Amino acid sequence: MVYAIDFGTSNTVITRWNTATQQPETLTLSGFSLKLAQNPPLIPSLLYVEDGSTGKVVVGQMVRDRGFDLSSDRRFFRNFKRGIGAEIQGFLPELDGATISFEQAGTWFLITLLQQLQATDPALDSLVFTVPVDSFEAYRNWLTQVCKLLQVSQVRLLDEPTAAALGYGLAEQRTVLVVDFGGGTLDLSLVKLEGRPEQK
């Protein structure tokens, strides 16, 4: 089954194609997701490092539920996507004898979610990750390395504006302006969708 993951600065969303309803559906991962009112479930992009030497971490809504989301606690990470692949990393804490990079924080976060997803659906064999349209090569390389740690037969990368346009069902030929107002960036992208040629 194919799953798509939008790893965001503030929140992460996991979806899949429901073959029974022929519709996409946003998934709730028990303990990791937050659902408010009629909004789709979101996974807060939060990480708490319990043991840096073994990679024991708490992610998503569990961080808040356990009261680990204290900005003064150096084991608590948020907004770590912003630093992935950046040339200037800024302050990096040392935990349990090792300096924790933003790439390491992001890897722990995604691997934890994906292991939970694989436990829920052992048939998971294909992943699609959305990436910022101006994503620098280092970020894409990091994401590729994360995917190599997983036992998934196929991994594809799709830029976020195209994913948004397709997600809203824009299939015919047209040019649309996609506004991605995220927790870390504001991207404006003109997306030109090419319609399929008519069959004769």
Side-chain angles (χ1 to χ4, degrees):
M1 184 173 287
V2 180
Y3 288 81
I5 300 175
D6 180 12
F7 170 38
T9 302
S10 302
N11 295 293
T12 296
V13 177
I14 301 176
T15 62
R16 70 179 174 193
W17 183 258
N18 188 319
T19 54
T21 63
Q22 290 298 298
Q23 294 289 325
E25 59 184 7
T26 305
L27 300 183
T28 299
L29 287 184
S30 180
F32 297 99
S33 299
L34 169 68
K35 186 160 184 354
L36 297 173
Q38 299 302 314
N39 296 314
L42 301 172
I43 301 170
S45 297
L46 304 174
L47 174 84
Y48 184 84
V49 180
E50 290 189 309
D51 189 336
S53 62
T54 63
K56 184 179 180 183
V57 297
V58 179
V59 305
Q61 184 60 28
M62 283 186 191
V63 175
R64 289 181 180 149
D65 291 345
R66 296 185 186 180
F68 292 158
D69 55 338
L70 301 174
S71 57
S72 59
D73 191 337
R74 61 192 183 128
R75 291 184 177 274
F76 170 57
F77 290 79
R78 64 179 174 192
N79 300 326
F80 46 88
K81 180 186 175 185
R82 292 182 187 177
I84 295 173
E87 290 183 12
I88 300 174
Q89 293 273 311
F91 172 75
L92 295 172
E94 183 176 316
L95 302 176
D96 308 311
T99 300
I100 308 301
S101 67
F102 293 114
E103 288 81 4
Q104 181 62 72
T107 299
W108 281 333
F109 177 80
L110 286 178
I111 292 295
T112 302
L113 293 182
L114 290 169
Q115 286 175 342
Q116 177 67 21
L117 194 57
Q118 287 177 317
T120 304
D121 182 5
L124 188 159
D125 59 359
S126 182
L127 282 173
V128 177
F129 278 99
T130 61
V131 295
V133 69
D134 61 347
S135 175
F136 28 80
E137 199 64 27
Y139 180 87
R140 290 174 184 259
N141 289 340
W142 164 78
L143 192 53
T144 301
Q145 293 305 313
V146 172
C147 294
K148 287 181 180 178
L149 300 174
L150 306 168
Q151 294 183 353
V152 178
S153 58
Q154 184 180 58
V155 177
R156 290 170 284 183
L157 304 180
L158 179 64
D159 65 90
E160 292 169 355
T162 301
L166 294 173
Y168 279 93
L170 301 176
E172 66 273 13
Q173 184 173 355
R174 63 169 60 181
T175 301
V176 295
L177 175 65
V178 177
V179 180
D180 182 1
F181 190 13
T185 58
L186 171 61
D187 289 327
L188 304 176
S189 304
L190 278 175
V191 179
K192 184 176 182 180
L193 299 174
E194 300 287 348
R196 293 182 180 175
E198 293 184 8
Q199 300 292 326
K200 293 184 179 181

Short mmCIF file of all heavy atoms in Angstrom, two decimals, residues 131-191:
data_model
loop_
_atom_site.label_atom_id
_atom_site.label_comp_id
_atom_site.label_asym_id
_atom_site.label_seq_id
_atom_site.Cartn_x
_atom_site.Cartn_y
_atom_site.Cartn_z
N VAL A 131 8.51 17.46 -0.33
CA VAL A 131 9.68 18.26 0.04
C VAL A 131 9.46 19.69 -0.44
O VAL A 131 8.77 19.92 -1.42
CB VAL A 131 10.98 17.70 -0.56
CG1 VAL A 131 11.31 16.34 0.01
CG2 VAL A 131 10.89 17.63 -2.08
N PRO A 132 10.02 20.67 0.27
CA PRO A 132 9.89 22.07 -0.17
C PRO A 132 10.42 22.24 -1.59
O PRO A 132 11.40 21.59 -1.97
CB PRO A 132 10.74 22.85 0.84
CG PRO A 132 10.81 21.96 2.04
CD PRO A 132 10.78 20.55 1.51
N VAL A 133 9.76 23.09 -2.36
CA VAL A 133 10.13 23.25 -3.77
C VAL A 133 11.55 23.76 -3.92
O VAL A 133 12.25 23.43 -4.88
CB VAL A 133 9.13 24.16 -4.51
CG1 VAL A 133 9.24 25.60 -4.03
CG2 VAL A 133 9.32 24.06 -6.01
N ASP A 134 12.00 24.59 -2.98
CA ASP A 134 13.36 25.13 -3.07
C ASP A 134 14.32 24.33 -2.19
O ASP A 134 15.35 24.83 -1.78
CB ASP A 134 13.38 26.60 -2.68
CG ASP A 134 12.91 26.82 -1.25
OD1 ASP A 134 12.34 25.87 -0.66
OD2 ASP A 134 13.10 27.93 -0.71
N SER A 135 13.91 23.10 -1.89
CA SER A 135 14.71 22.26 -0.99
C SER A 135 16.13 22.08 -1.52
O SER A 135 16.35 21.65 -2.64
CB SER A 135 14.04 20.89 -0.86
OG SER A 135 14.83 20.04 -0.09
N PHE A 136 17.08 22.43 -0.67
CA PHE A 136 18.46 22.28 -1.05
C PHE A 136 18.84 20.81 -1.10
O PHE A 136 18.18 19.96 -0.53
CB PHE A 136 19.37 23.04 -0.06
CG PHE A 136 18.79 23.16 1.31
CD1 PHE A 136 18.85 22.11 2.21
CD2 PHE A 136 18.13 24.32 1.69
CE1 PHE A 136 18.29 22.21 3.47
CE2 PHE A 136 17.57 24.42 2.96
CZ PHE A 136 17.65 23.38 3.85
N GLU A 137 19.89 20.54 -1.85
CA GLU A 137 20.31 19.16 -2.10
C GLU A 137 20.59 18.41 -0.81
O GLU A 137 20.31 17.21 -0.70
CB GLU A 137 21.54 19.18 -3.00
CG GLU A 137 21.82 17.86 -3.69
CD GLU A 137 20.72 17.46 -4.67
OE1 GLU A 137 20.03 18.33 -5.21
OE2 GLU A 137 20.55 16.25 -4.87
N ALA A 138 21.13 19.10 0.19
CA ALA A 138 21.47 18.43 1.45
C ALA A 138 20.23 17.84 2.12
O ALA A 138 20.28 16.76 2.70
CB ALA A 138 22.17 19.41 2.39
N TYR A 139 19.09 18.57 2.04
CA TYR A 139 17.86 18.07 2.65
C TYR A 139 17.37 16.82 1.94
O TYR A 139 17.00 15.82 2.56
CB TYR A 139 16.78 19.16 2.62
CG TYR A 139 15.48 18.72 3.24
CD1 TYR A 139 15.26 18.85 4.61
CD2 TYR A 139 14.46 18.14 2.48
CE1 TYR A 139 14.06 18.44 5.19
CE2 TYR A 139 13.27 17.73 3.05
CZ TYR A 139 13.07 17.88 4.40
OH TYR A 139 11.89 17.46 4.97
N ARG A 140 17.39 16.86 0.62
CA ARG A 140 16.96 15.68 -0.14
C ARG A 140 17.88 14.49 0.10
O ARG A 140 17.42 13.35 0.21
CB ARG A 140 16.91 16.01 -1.64
CG ARG A 140 15.79 16.97 -2.00
CD ARG A 140 15.86 17.37 -3.46
NE ARG A 140 14.85 18.37 -3.77
CZ ARG A 140 13.70 18.09 -4.37
NH1 ARG A 140 13.41 16.86 -4.72
NH2 ARG A 140 12.83 19.05 -4.61
N ASN A 141 19.19 14.76 0.18
CA ASN A 141 20.14 13.67 0.46
C ASN A 141 19.88 13.07 1.83
O ASN A 141 19.95 11.85 2.02
CB ASN A 141 21.57 14.19 0.37
CG ASN A 141 21.99 14.48 -1.06
OD1 ASN A 141 21.38 13.98 -2.01
ND2 ASN A 141 23.02 15.29 -1.22
N TRP A 142 19.59 13.94 2.82
CA TRP A 142 19.30 13.45 4.17
C TRP A 142 18.06 12.57 4.15
O TRP A 142 18.06 11.47 4.73
CB TRP A 142 19.09 14.63 5.13
CG TRP A 142 18.43 14.22 6.40
CD1 TRP A 142 19.01 13.60 7.47
CD2 TRP A 142 17.04 14.34 6.72
NE1 TRP A 142 18.07 13.33 8.44
CE2 TRP A 142 16.85 13.78 8.00
CE3 TRP A 142 15.93 14.87 6.05
CZ2 TRP A 142 15.60 13.74 8.62
CZ3 TRP A 142 14.70 14.83 6.66
CH2 TRP A 142 14.54 14.26 7.94
N LEU A 143 17.02 13.01 3.48
CA LEU A 143 15.78 12.25 3.43
C LEU A 143 15.99 10.91 2.73
O LEU A 143 15.44 9.89 3.16
CB LEU A 143 14.70 13.06 2.71
CG LEU A 143 13.26 12.56 2.80
CD1 LEU A 143 12.84 12.34 4.26
CD2 LEU A 143 12.32 13.54 2.13
N THR A 144 16.80 10.89 1.70
CA THR A 144 17.13 9.64 1.01
C THR A 144 17.84 8.68 1.96
O THR A 144 17.55 7.47 1.97
CB THR A 144 18.00 9.92 -0.22
OG1 THR A 144 17.30 10.81 -1.10
CG2 THR A 144 18.34 8.64 -0.96
N GLN A 145 18.76 9.19 2.77
CA GLN A 145 19.47 8.34 3.73
C GLN A 145 18.53 7.78 4.79
O GLN A 145 18.65 6.62 5.20
CB GLN A 145 20.60 9.13 4.39
CG GLN A 145 21.74 9.51 3.45
CD GLN A 145 22.33 8.31 2.73
OE1 GLN A 145 22.63 7.29 3.34
NE2 GLN A 145 22.49 8.43 1.42
N VAL A 146 17.56 8.60 5.23
CA VAL A 146 16.57 8.12 6.20
C VAL A 146 15.79 6.96 5.60
O VAL A 146 15.56 5.93 6.26
CB VAL A 146 15.61 9.25 6.62
CG1 VAL A 146 14.46 8.71 7.47
CG2 VAL A 146 16.35 10.33 7.40
N CYS A 147 15.39 7.11 4.35
CA CYS A 147 14.60 6.07 3.69
C CYS A 147 15.36 4.76 3.55
O CYS A 147 14.76 3.68 3.55
CB CYS A 147 14.12 6.56 2.33
SG CYS A 147 12.95 7.93 2.44
N LYS A 148 16.69 4.85 3.43
CA LYS A 148 17.49 3.63 3.31
C LYS A 148 17.48 2.81 4.60
O LYS A 148 17.78 1.62 4.59
CB LYS A 148 18.92 3.98 2.93
CG LYS A 148 19.08 4.43 1.48
CD LYS A 148 20.52 4.75 1.16
CE LYS A 148 20.67 5.19 -0.30
NZ LYS A 148 22.06 5.55 -0.63
N LEU A 149 17.15 3.46 5.72
CA LEU A 149 17.08 2.75 6.99
C LEU A 149 15.81 1.92 7.11
O LEU A 149 15.67 1.10 8.01
CB LEU A 149 17.15 3.75 8.15
CG LEU A 149 18.42 4.60 8.24
CD1 LEU A 149 18.28 5.64 9.35
CD2 LEU A 149 19.63 3.73 8.47
N LEU A 150 14.86 2.16 6.20
CA LEU A 150 13.57 1.48 6.26
C LEU A 150 13.53 0.33 5.26
O LEU A 150 14.20 0.36 4.24
CB LEU A 150 12.45 2.47 5.92
CG LEU A 150 12.42 3.74 6.75
CD1 LEU A 150 11.48 4.74 6.13
CD2 LEU A 150 12.01 3.42 8.16
N GLN A 151 12.72 -0.66 5.56
CA GLN A 151 12.54 -1.76 4.62
C GLN A 151 11.30 -1.48 3.78
O GLN A 151 10.26 -2.11 3.92
CB GLN A 151 12.43 -3.08 5.38
CG GLN A 151 13.71 -3.47 6.09
CD GLN A 151 13.62 -4.81 6.78
OE1 GLN A 151 12.56 -5.41 6.85
NE2 GLN A 151 14.75 -5.27 7.30
N VAL A 152 11.44 -0.50 2.89
CA VAL A 152 10.36 -0.10 1.99
C VAL A 152 10.89 -0.22 0.58
O VAL A 152 11.97 0.28 0.27
CB VAL A 152 9.90 1.34 2.29
CG1 VAL A 152 8.81 1.77 1.32
CG2 VAL A 152 9.40 1.46 3.72
N SER A 153 10.14 -0.88 -0.29
CA SER A 153 10.66 -1.17 -1.63
C SER A 153 10.72 0.06 -2.53
O SER A 153 11.57 0.14 -3.41
CB SER A 153 9.82 -2.26 -2.30
OG SER A 153 8.47 -1.86 -2.38
N GLN A 154 9.83 1.03 -2.33
CA GLN A 154 9.81 2.19 -3.22
C GLN A 154 9.61 3.47 -2.43
O GLN A 154 8.69 3.57 -1.61
CB GLN A 154 8.69 2.05 -4.25
CG GLN A 154 8.66 3.17 -5.28
CD GLN A 154 7.54 2.97 -6.28
OE1 GLN A 154 6.38 2.88 -5.89
NE2 GLN A 154 7.88 2.89 -7.56
N VAL A 155 10.45 4.47 -2.67
CA VAL A 155 10.33 5.79 -2.04
C VAL A 155 10.42 6.84 -3.13
O VAL A 155 11.33 6.80 -3.97
CB VAL A 155 11.45 6.03 -0.99
CG1 VAL A 155 11.33 7.43 -0.40
CG2 VAL A 155 11.37 4.99 0.11
N ARG A 156 9.46 7.76 -3.14
CA ARG A 156 9.45 8.84 -4.12
C ARG A 156 9.37 10.18 -3.41
O ARG A 156 8.78 10.28 -2.33
CB ARG A 156 8.26 8.68 -5.08
CG ARG A 156 8.41 7.50 -6.02
CD ARG A 156 7.15 7.23 -6.77
NE ARG A 156 6.21 6.56 -5.87
CZ ARG A 156 5.01 6.13 -6.24
NH1 ARG A 156 4.59 6.31 -7.45
NH2 ARG A 156 4.23 5.53 -5.38
N LEU A 157 9.96 11.20 -4.03
CA LEU A 157 9.91 12.56 -3.51
C LEU A 157 9.09 13.42 -4.46
O LEU A 157 9.26 13.36 -5.67
CB LEU A 157 11.32 13.15 -3.39
CG LEU A 157 12.33 12.36 -2.54
CD1 LEU A 157 13.68 13.08 -2.53
CD2 LEU A 157 11.82 12.16 -1.13
N LEU A 158 8.18 14.22 -3.89
CA LEU A 158 7.30 15.08 -4.67
C LEU A 158 7.32 16.46 -4.05
O LEU A 158 7.16 16.60 -2.83
CB LEU A 158 5.87 14.52 -4.67
CG LEU A 158 4.81 15.29 -5.43
CD1 LEU A 158 5.13 15.32 -6.92
CD2 LEU A 158 3.44 14.67 -5.18
N ASP A 159 7.53 17.51 -4.88
CA ASP A 159 7.57 18.84 -4.30
C ASP A 159 6.19 19.24 -3.77
O ASP A 159 5.15 18.83 -4.29
CB ASP A 159 8.09 19.87 -5.31
CG ASP A 159 7.16 20.04 -6.49
OD1 ASP A 159 6.28 20.90 -6.40
OD2 ASP A 159 7.32 19.31 -7.48
N GLU A 160 6.19 20.01 -2.68
CA GLU A 160 4.97 20.33 -1.95
C GLU A 160 3.92 21.08 -2.79
O GLU A 160 2.73 20.75 -2.69
CB GLU A 160 5.31 21.09 -0.68
CG GLU A 160 6.04 20.21 0.33
CD GLU A 160 6.63 20.98 1.50
OE1 GLU A 160 6.57 22.22 1.51
OE2 GLU A 160 7.16 20.32 2.42
N PRO A 161 4.28 22.06 -3.61
CA PRO A 161 3.25 22.75 -4.40
C PRO A 161 2.51 21.82 -5.36
O PRO A 161 1.29 21.89 -5.50
CB PRO A 161 4.04 23.82 -5.16
CG PRO A 161 5.24 24.06 -4.33
CD PRO A 161 5.59 22.73 -3.75
N THR A 162 3.24 20.92 -6.02
CA THR A 162 2.60 19.97 -6.93
C THR A 162 1.69 19.04 -6.15
O THR A 162 0.57 18.74 -6.58
CB THR A 162 3.65 19.17 -7.71
OG1 THR A 162 4.46 20.08 -8.46
CG2 THR A 162 3.01 18.17 -8.65
N ALA A 163 2.15 18.58 -4.99
CA ALA A 163 1.33 17.70 -4.15
C ALA A 163 0.04 18.41 -3.74
O ALA A 163 -1.05 17.81 -3.75
CB ALA A 163 2.11 17.27 -2.92
N ALA A 164 0.14 19.69 -3.39
CA ALA A 164 -1.05 20.45 -2.98
C ALA A 164 -2.03 20.59 -4.14
O ALA A 164 -3.24 20.41 -3.97
CB ALA A 164 -0.64 21.83 -2.46
N ALA A 165 -1.52 20.91 -5.32
CA ALA A 165 -2.39 21.08 -6.49
C ALA A 165 -3.10 19.77 -6.83
O ALA A 165 -4.31 19.74 -7.08
CB ALA A 165 -1.57 21.57 -7.68
N LEU A 166 -2.35 18.67 -6.81
CA LEU A 166 -2.95 17.37 -7.10
C LEU A 166 -3.93 16.95 -6.01
O LEU A 166 -4.95 16.33 -6.27
CB LEU A 166 -1.85 16.31 -7.27
CG LEU A 166 -0.94 16.48 -8.48
CD1 LEU A 166 0.20 15.47 -8.43
CD2 LEU A 166 -1.71 16.36 -9.78
N GLY A 167 -3.59 17.30 -4.76
CA GLY A 167 -4.44 16.94 -3.63
C GLY A 167 -5.81 17.58 -3.67
O GLY A 167 -6.78 17.04 -3.14
N TYR A 168 -5.90 18.72 -4.31
CA TYR A 168 -7.20 19.39 -4.44
C TYR A 168 -7.91 19.01 -5.72
O TYR A 168 -8.89 19.65 -6.12
CB TYR A 168 -7.03 20.91 -4.32
CG TYR A 168 -6.93 21.33 -2.87
CD1 TYR A 168 -5.70 21.46 -2.25
CD2 TYR A 168 -8.08 21.55 -2.11
CE1 TYR A 168 -5.60 21.81 -0.92
CE2 TYR A 168 -8.00 21.89 -0.78
CZ TYR A 168 -6.75 22.03 -0.18
OH TYR A 168 -6.67 22.36 1.14
N GLY A 169 -7.42 17.99 -6.40
CA GLY A 169 -8.12 17.44 -7.54
C GLY A 169 -7.97 18.24 -8.82
O GLY A 169 -8.79 18.11 -9.73
N LEU A 170 -6.93 19.05 -8.92
CA LEU A 170 -6.72 19.83 -10.14
C LEU A 170 -5.99 18.95 -11.14
O LEU A 170 -4.78 18.82 -11.08
CB LEU A 170 -5.93 21.10 -9.83
CG LEU A 170 -6.57 22.05 -8.82
CD1 LEU A 170 -5.64 23.21 -8.53
CD2 LEU A 170 -7.90 22.57 -9.35
N ALA A 171 -6.74 18.36 -12.03
CA ALA A 171 -6.14 17.42 -12.98
C ALA A 171 -6.10 17.97 -14.40
O ALA A 171 -5.28 17.56 -15.20
CB ALA A 171 -6.91 16.10 -12.97
N GLU A 172 -7.00 18.91 -14.74
CA GLU A 172 -7.00 19.43 -16.09
C GLU A 172 -5.89 20.45 -16.28
O GLU A 172 -5.30 20.93 -15.32
CB GLU A 172 -8.36 20.07 -16.43
CG GLU A 172 -8.69 21.30 -15.62
CD GLU A 172 -9.37 21.00 -14.30
OE1 GLU A 172 -9.38 19.83 -13.88
OE2 GLU A 172 -9.89 21.95 -13.71
N GLN A 173 -5.61 20.77 -17.53
CA GLN A 173 -4.50 21.67 -17.84
C GLN A 173 -4.84 23.09 -17.39
O GLN A 173 -5.80 23.68 -17.84
CB GLN A 173 -4.20 21.66 -19.33
CG GLN A 173 -2.99 22.50 -19.70
CD GLN A 173 -2.62 22.33 -21.15
OE1 GLN A 173 -3.19 21.53 -21.85
NE2 GLN A 173 -1.64 23.09 -21.59
N ARG A 174 -4.04 23.62 -16.49
CA ARG A 174 -4.21 24.99 -16.02
C ARG A 174 -3.01 25.39 -15.20
O ARG A 174 -2.21 24.55 -14.80
CB ARG A 174 -5.49 25.15 -15.20
CG ARG A 174 -5.50 24.32 -13.91
CD ARG A 174 -6.64 24.70 -13.00
NE ARG A 174 -7.92 24.50 -13.64
CZ ARG A 174 -9.09 24.77 -13.06
NH1 ARG A 174 -9.12 25.26 -11.85
NH2 ARG A 174 -10.22 24.54 -13.69
N THR A 175 -2.89 26.67 -14.93
CA THR A 175 -1.83 27.18 -14.08
C THR A 175 -2.46 27.71 -12.81
O THR A 175 -3.42 28.49 -12.87
CB THR A 175 -1.04 28.30 -14.79
OG1 THR A 175 -0.48 27.77 -15.99
CG2 THR A 175 0.08 28.81 -13.90
N VAL A 176 -1.96 27.28 -11.66
CA VAL A 176 -2.53 27.70 -10.38
C VAL A 176 -1.43 28.25 -9.48
O VAL A 176 -0.26 27.89 -9.61
CB VAL A 176 -3.24 26.52 -9.66
CG1 VAL A 176 -4.44 26.05 -10.43
CG2 VAL A 176 -2.29 25.37 -9.41
N LEU A 177 -1.82 29.16 -8.61
CA LEU A 177 -0.91 29.69 -7.60
C LEU A 177 -1.13 28.93 -6.31
O LEU A 177 -2.25 28.92 -5.78
CB LEU A 177 -1.15 31.19 -7.37
CG LEU A 177 -0.32 31.83 -6.25
CD1 LEU A 177 1.17 31.81 -6.60
CD2 LEU A 177 -0.79 33.26 -5.99
N VAL A 178 -0.10 28.27 -5.83
CA VAL A 178 -0.18 27.51 -4.58
C VAL A 178 0.53 28.33 -3.50
O VAL A 178 1.69 28.70 -3.65
CB VAL A 178 0.47 26.13 -4.71
CG1 VAL A 178 0.45 25.39 -3.38
CG2 VAL A 178 -0.24 25.30 -5.78
N VAL A 179 -0.19 28.61 -2.41
CA VAL A 179 0.36 29.34 -1.28
C VAL A 179 0.56 28.36 -0.14
O VAL A 179 -0.41 27.79 0.37
CB VAL A 179 -0.57 30.49 -0.84
CG1 VAL A 179 0.04 31.24 0.35
CG2 VAL A 179 -0.84 31.44 -1.99
N ASP A 180 1.80 28.13 0.24
CA ASP A 180 2.14 27.21 1.33
C ASP A 180 2.62 28.06 2.51
O ASP A 180 3.77 28.47 2.57
CB ASP A 180 3.22 26.24 0.88
CG ASP A 180 3.57 25.22 1.96
OD1 ASP A 180 2.96 25.26 3.05
OD2 ASP A 180 4.46 24.40 1.72
N PHE A 181 1.71 28.32 3.43
CA PHE A 181 2.01 29.15 4.60
C PHE A 181 2.29 28.19 5.75
O PHE A 181 1.40 27.73 6.43
CB PHE A 181 0.81 30.05 4.91
CG PHE A 181 1.08 31.10 5.94
CD1 PHE A 181 2.37 31.39 6.37
CD2 PHE A 181 0.04 31.82 6.49
CE1 PHE A 181 2.61 32.37 7.31
CE2 PHE A 181 0.26 32.81 7.44
CZ PHE A 181 1.55 33.08 7.85
N GLY A 182 3.56 27.84 5.91
CA GLY A 182 3.94 26.83 6.89
C GLY A 182 4.50 27.42 8.16
O GLY A 182 4.56 28.64 8.34
N GLY A 183 4.91 26.54 9.04
CA GLY A 183 5.47 26.97 10.32
C GLY A 183 6.88 27.52 10.20
O GLY A 183 7.33 28.26 11.06
N GLY A 184 7.57 27.18 9.13
CA GLY A 184 8.94 27.64 8.96
C GLY A 184 9.15 28.52 7.76
O GLY A 184 10.10 29.31 7.71
N THR A 185 8.27 28.40 6.76
CA THR A 185 8.46 29.16 5.52
C THR A 185 7.11 29.58 4.95
O THR A 185 6.06 29.04 5.31
CB THR A 185 9.19 28.32 4.45
OG1 THR A 185 8.43 27.13 4.22
CG2 THR A 185 10.60 27.96 4.87
N LEU A 186 7.16 30.54 4.03
CA LEU A 186 6.01 30.93 3.21
C LEU A 186 6.46 30.79 1.77
O LEU A 186 7.34 31.51 1.31
CB LEU A 186 5.57 32.36 3.51
CG LEU A 186 4.51 32.94 2.56
CD1 LEU A 186 3.23 32.12 2.61
CD2 LEU A 186 4.24 34.39 2.89
N ASP A 187 5.88 29.83 1.06
CA ASP A 187 6.24 29.60 -0.34
C ASP A 187 5.08 29.93 -1.25
O ASP A 187 3.94 29.52 -1.01
CB ASP A 187 6.62 28.12 -0.56
CG ASP A 187 7.95 27.76 0.09
OD1 ASP A 187 8.82 28.63 0.14
OD2 ASP A 187 8.09 26.61 0.53
N LEU A 188 5.36 30.68 -2.31
CA LEU A 188 4.40 30.95 -3.38
C LEU A 188 4.93 30.28 -4.63
O LEU A 188 6.05 30.55 -5.05
CB LEU A 188 4.24 32.45 -3.61
CG LEU A 188 3.84 33.29 -2.40
CD1 LEU A 188 3.82 34.76 -2.76
CD2 LEU A 188 2.48 32.87 -1.88
N SER A 189 4.13 29.41 -5.23
CA SER A 189 4.59 28.67 -6.40
C SER A 189 3.52 28.66 -7.48
O SER A 189 2.34 28.41 -7.20
CB SER A 189 4.92 27.22 -6.02
OG SER A 189 5.86 27.17 -4.98
N LEU A 190 3.94 28.97 -8.70
CA LEU A 190 3.05 28.81 -9.86
C LEU A 190 3.23 27.39 -10.37
O LEU A 190 4.34 26.99 -10.72
CB LEU A 190 3.40 29.81 -10.96
CG LEU A 190 2.82 31.21 -10.78
CD1 LEU A 190 3.35 32.12 -11.89
CD2 LEU A 190 1.30 31.18 -10.80
N VAL A 191 2.15 26.63 -10.38
CA VAL A 191 2.20 25.24 -10.82
C VAL A 191 1.41 25.09 -12.10
O VAL A 191 0.21 25.42 -12.14
CB VAL A 191 1.63 24.29 -9.73
CG1 VAL A 191 1.67 22.85 -10.20
CG2 VAL A 191 2.40 24.45 -8.43
#
